[in-house]
Amino acid sequence: MRESTFSFWEDADFNALRDEPLLPGEDAWHSGNVEKTYESWYIEAVLDKGYVLGVTFATKGLKKLPSPLEPQLKVDLVTPEGTRETLVQHFTKEDFRASEEYVSLEMGTNRFAGTFPEYRLQVTSSEVSLDLQFTAEVPGWKPGRGRVAYADKGKKFLQWVVPVPRASVAGNISVKGQKEEVSGLGYYHYLYTNFYLPEILSRTIWARVYTEDYTIIFADIVGRTLFSYEPVRPFMLAQNEVMKLSTGNMDLMTRGLQRDPQTGARYPREMVVKVAGEVPVEVRTKAKKMLWGRSVESSSRKPLLATVAVDAKVLLLTYPVSETAGQGVITSIVY
């Protein structure tokens, strides 16, 4: 028997839904049922001087549920010299503090907090330290109702919202005692689920693409055999600070797979995304450089994550057709 998949724009009876506004506090900590859920806050920055940074605050590692609250912080950093630095810190529940009204997270001396449009990220360790201010330049995005649901009446859910699709970033970064002032582009998303991801999902792609005027966020969330490998594909386009398009009607084609020799993580060499409708768009990406890859912690399987820098072209298929070059970051996970 095949199970059902309910997209961001469907309720549990397959009724069509419209986009809902992203409300303050939707990315705050959910303190109820912490043993039966997993939450993570992912913050990213592509900085001048060649730094690329990804920071994840999570209520636990990726493991079967239920499981206890075991806060952890992961920092992935690529330096201007191309060196990959990885920091993983585990905390007791006593070291974890969070607000249920807005995003405000503390794990030991590490902190991420703010309300739209201002956020601050602080990480302190002997190897890597950060103090970065994020100022959102594009409104937050909630595709549909902000969640994909699975199985009978959608009792299993994956909530994903992007409070900061694009931000200007400024601050300082210190690697092994060498401190530098930096600036660049930033991104932040929030994920909340009540199931062990590898049990339902076979793979996911999370993409952010930037040109001077356009911001594009899209994802490819694919279920396992029981869910007929059905993809859910949210897509967002903003021009400067104005949201132009939010839809689930996206076609995605990948060309070739690259493999990171260090971790075995795989990612698409090229992708072509097409969106028809009121604002027809085509996005083409080509992998440029592996940023970081690793096994994602789990109790039974070892899902592989790859985060890659890409070159991009954005085509608005209106008359006349306009083409703009850009860059982006894509994360691919095979569960």
Side-chain angles (χ1 to χ4, degrees):
M1 178 181 176
R2 299 292 181 177
E3 293 280 9
S4 297
T5 300
F6 307 92
S7 82
F8 289 100
W9 289 271
E10 293 174 324
D11 65 16
D13 294 314
F14 292 103
N15 295 312
L17 302 173
R18 295 179 178 271
D19 273 9
E20 297 177 2
L22 179 59
L23 301 175
E26 286 196 61
D27 55 342
W29 179 47
H30 293 71
S31 63
N33 293 323
V34 292
E35 292 190 351
K36 296 181 180 180
T37 60
Y38 167 85
E39 283 182 272
S40 66
W41 297 258
Y42 176 73
I43 308 102
E44 184 176 272
V46 179
L47 303 168
D48 59 1
K49 303 177 183 177
Y51 289 102
V52 184
L53 169 75
V55 177
T56 303
F57 289 79
T59 54
K60 61 191 68 176
L62 183 61
K63 57 181 65 178
K64 288 190 175 183
L65 301 174
S67 58
L69 176 66
E70 296 176 336
Q72 68 172 230
L73 172 73
K74 291 184 179 179
V75 179
D76 289 296
L77 175 69
V78 177
T79 69
E81 297 75 28
T83 304
R84 300 180 194 174
E85 301 284 347
T86 300
L87 169 69
V88 180
Q89 292 182 314
H90 299 271
F91 299 89
T92 66
K93 60 183 180 181
E94 289 77 20
D95 291 324
F96 176 65
R97 293 168 295 280
S99 170
E100 297 179 66
E101 297 180 358
Y102 65 101
V103 59
S104 178
L105 308 166
E106 291 185 38
M107 295 183 184
T109 58
N110 308 293
R111 188 167 190 258
F112 178 63
T115 56
F116 189 88
E118 299 290 338
Y119 301 82
R120 188 178 183 184
L121 171 66
Q122 295 168 290
V123 173
T124 304
S125 77
S126 59
E127 296 295 311
V128 177
S129 295
L130 315 164
D131 190 350
L132 299 173
Q133 187 74 28
F134 289 67
T135 302
E137 297 180 341
V138 172
W141 178 46
K142 179 166 71 173
R145 60 176 180 167
R147 63 170 56 190
V148 183
Y150 296 91
D152 181 39
K153 291 297 180 181
K155 293 178 182 177
K156 301 293 185 180
F157 67 84
L158 172 68
Q159 181 176 333
W160 178 66
V161 296
V162 187
V164 182
R166 180 177 187 147
S168 60
V169 182
N172 60 74
I173 184 168
S174 178
V175 181
K176 297 179 180 177
Q178 298 297 314
K179 186 175 180 180
E180 289 192 83
E181 298 295 318
V182 292
S183 61
L185 277 178
Y187 166 88
Y188 154 51
H189 78 218
Y190 167 75
L191 188 147
Y192 176 48
T193 184
N194 66 348
F195 63 86
Y196 174 55
L197 298 181
E199 288 182 343
I200 290 180
L201 303 182
S202 63
R203 69 178 188 274
T204 56
I205 292 174
W206 312 92
R208 37 269 179 216
V209 171
Y210 304 104
T211 72
E212 184 175 351
D213 297 324
Y214 294 104
T215 300
I216 292 170
I217 308 296
F218 65 88
D220 184 32
I221 307 166
V222 183
R224 287 200 171 275
T225 307
L226 188 61
F227 298 89
S228 304
Y229 295 107
E230 184 175 349
V232 176
R233 291 172 171 168
F235 179 95
M236 183 215 89
L237 168 71
Q239 183 177 15
N240 298 316
E241 72 280 2
V242 179
M243 194 74 68
K244 291 290 188 178
L245 183 62
S246 172
T247 181
N249 297 319
M250 179 187 90
D251 291 326
L252 172 67
M253 180 174 64
T254 62
R255 296 172 178 167
L257 283 177
Q258 298 282 97
R259 183 178 179 275
D260 178 33
Q262 294 184 27
T263 63
R266 294 173 294 164
Y267 55 92
R269 185 174 65 249
E270 296 182 15
M271 292 196 301
V272 178
V273 169
K274 294 183 179 181
V275 178
E278 196 172 316
V279 185
V281 184
E282 183 173 312
V283 182
R284 304 171 186 170
T285 69
K286 186 174 183 179
K288 180 171 60 175
K289 181 175 70 173
M290 179 76 179
L291 296 174
W292 53 81
R294 63 168 178 266
S295 295
V296 180
E297 179 185 355
S298 68
S299 57
S300 57
R301 302 181 182 92
K302 286 292 183 183
L304 294 176
L305 174 149
T307 297
V308 184
V310 300
D311 288 323
K313 289 184 179 179
V314 177
L315 293 86
L316 295 186
L317 304 178
T318 53
Y319 182 80
V321 173
S322 67
E323 180 178 320
T324 309
Q327 297 184 338
V329 179
I330 291 174
T331 298
S332 175
I333 307 176
V334 178
Y335 294 99

